[in-house]
Amino acid sequence: MFVLAMALSKESVERLVLAIALLLLVYTWVGYPVLLSFLRGFAGLSPRRTPPARLQHNPKVSIIIAARNEEKQIGAKLIDCTNLDYPAEQLEILIVSDNSTDKTEEIVEEFAKRDARIRFLACRGQLGKSGVQNHAVQNASGDILCFTDADTRTSPDTLKIMMENFTDPAVGLATANVYFGQPNSAVAEGQGAYWRFELLLRKLESDLGILATSSGQLLMMRRELFRPLPVMYGDDCVLPLDVRLQGYRVVQEARVVVYDTMPSSIKGEFRARVRMTARNWTGTLARPAMLNPFRFPLTSWGLISHKLLRWLTPFFLAVLLVSNILLAVRGEWMAACLLQVAFYIAACIGWLRARKGASAWIFGYPFAFCLANVGFFLGMVKVLRGQKIVSY
């Protein structure tokens, strides 16, 4: 490659760099989902696999909720949990307070007095979400672990449907579809489209048996497959990787929808993207065997295409823009350069309107895309600087 670069002119190198950056972007955001759809069709898989068999018995389930200062949500969450359609004697609800300083613990203790299924555990010293979850698992008695968040809303049939996946002995972890409410904001509008794209990829990967990610709002797994979580990684990242490493499948249960709120502010969405990127990048690389194409050929391909290349998108975008500008100065690729400039101008208009609290119209989509990629970039910066994130 070095010899080839030396043999090429400066202009040829710029064209080559632009072409590579463009191809990587097109592959990541268009080519990969198209290939997944083709493979699913080639394998003869329908969009909906045969529904899992009905449960012949009801394994004990431990619902685990890590909570820190959740006084506004914890009551509604506990009501959701106690309303689940599942045998009471086979269900326990563990609420672990991570040194909460509000009324979270008082509310949980009141609920526990009225319902024996609810158990309250307190952690002192603020362990972080993963540390609290590790503590909860040590105290759990269920055969199936159900991790969920305090601000996630569920319907009564959620647990029964999710449990049907475990009638298949090859399934080690099941995760639900997450629906984000749509506040009237540019961030939420754009990220709604982004999330629909994400769920499409997960469904295709699930159908192909190569899914290796999940939603922390609700995921369930066999207890014997759980491995203690390092405090700097997220459960939705490393738990499915650990399950796949042990030879079990991860499935996306499209019949179950849980509800969460989407950050509707620029700051909230930005922080979420930075945190997610930093934790998930390091978490994925901490399981290097999953990226081994000789051991997990399709799953490693999926992880690289779905996760790693997407988080590298801001670097591809920067290379594409700079190389395009250099070529445009000499009158080459002028139309492509103008399209890129127009896209970023549209994103700036969306940003300005979002700051004023006004609807961003169509400008919300390029703005949300750019906001996410700035988050990806700063998340990668944190990774390179060795910063660890243990917050919720």
Side-chain angles (χ1 to χ4, degrees), residues 80-157:
D80 278 358
C81 290
T82 55
N83 285 339
L84 288 169
D85 182 14
Y86 201 76
E89 68 277 6
Q90 293 297 96
L91 179 65
E92 69 173 355
I93 304 163
L94 298 177
I95 312 295
V96 192
S97 171
D98 190 14
N99 199 27
S100 294
T101 57
D102 61 0
K103 295 182 180 180
T104 297
E105 298 183 2
E106 297 174 28
I107 295 171
V108 175
E109 288 174 337
E110 284 300 315
F111 271 86
K113 292 177 183 177
R114 301 193 297 267
D115 194 320
R117 293 174 296 178
I118 298 174
R119 293 174 55 197
F120 169 66
L121 300 172
C123 292
R124 304 304 174 200
Q126 198 169 342
L127 302 179
K129 184 177 181 180
S130 296
V132 165
Q133 289 171 324
N134 290 335
H135 180 68
V137 172
Q138 293 175 359
N139 289 273
S141 59
D143 303 304
I144 301 292
L145 305 175
C146 175
F147 296 94
T148 185
D149 293 335
D151 53 359
T152 300
R153 301 279 78 83
T154 57
S155 58
D157 63 352

Side-chain angles (χ1 to χ4, degrees), residues 13-24:
V13 170
E14 291 167 358
R15 295 188 198 103
L16 179 62
V17 169
L18 183 146
I20 292 174
L22 182 60
L23 285 172
L24 286 170

